[in-house]
């Protein structure tokens, strides 16, 4: 997945905003909370970072082409970075980005979720 494809996909998810920060990284947020970062690479392979569930963390932290996200994982957060080949396929990456968006949006207040029209199917 290129950064252009990454940005287009993240922008297609509901209630997202995009900022460029931290040395040119593409940061995507939902409700003001970060759910994905694209950047921090050497140009050889796009580095895409996202939040994961406990189960996905166990699976991805040692998967080829993936690693615990620098900075974020060292602070105890469950974030993974796809950074090298073979890494994740575009379809897998889209699934994990969608999951990250959902995980982060569920952490917003119920009021904020309602304002943004998110997770209204949740009890």
């Amino acid at each position: 997945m290129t950064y252009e494809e990454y940005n287009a996909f993240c922008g297609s998810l509901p209630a997202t905003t995009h900022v460029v920060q931290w040395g040119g990284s593409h940061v995507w947020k939902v409700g003001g909370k970060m759910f994905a970062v694209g950047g921090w690479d050497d140009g050889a392979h796009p580095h895409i970072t996202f939040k994961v569930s406990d189960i996905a963390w166990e699976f991805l932290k040692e998967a080829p082409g993936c690693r615990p996200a620098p900075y974020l994982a060292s602070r105890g957060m469950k974030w993974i970075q796809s950074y090298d080949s073979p890494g994740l396929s575009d379809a897998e990456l889209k699934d994990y980005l969608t999951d990250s968006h959902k995980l982060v949006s569920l952490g917003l207040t119920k009021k904020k979720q309602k304002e943004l029209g998110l997770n209204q199917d949740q009890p």
Side-chain angles (χ1 to χ4, degrees), residues 22-79:
W22 302 318
S25 295
H26 297 272
V27 179
W28 284 91
K29 299 180 181 185
V30 57
K33 303 286 185 182
M34 180 175 72
F35 75 92
V37 180
W40 304 326
D41 63 86
D42 58 11
H45 188 278
H47 288 44
I48 298 177
T49 303
F50 47 92
K51 186 173 183 159
V52 293
S53 68
D54 292 345
I55 293 170
W57 169 259
E58 291 303 322
F59 175 74
L60 291 174
K61 69 182 179 180
E62 296 180 18
C66 294
R67 64 182 171 201
Y71 183 78
L72 297 165
S74 67
R75 281 148 179 76
M77 296 181 258
K78 292 196 168 91
W79 285 72

Side-chain angles (χ1 to χ4, degrees), residues 81-98:
Q81 185 176 77
S82 176
Y83 74 101
D84 200 4
S85 296
L88 300 170
S89 70
D90 287 0
E92 290 170 321
L93 193 49
K94 286 177 180 180
D95 286 344
Y96 283 115
L97 289 168
T98 300

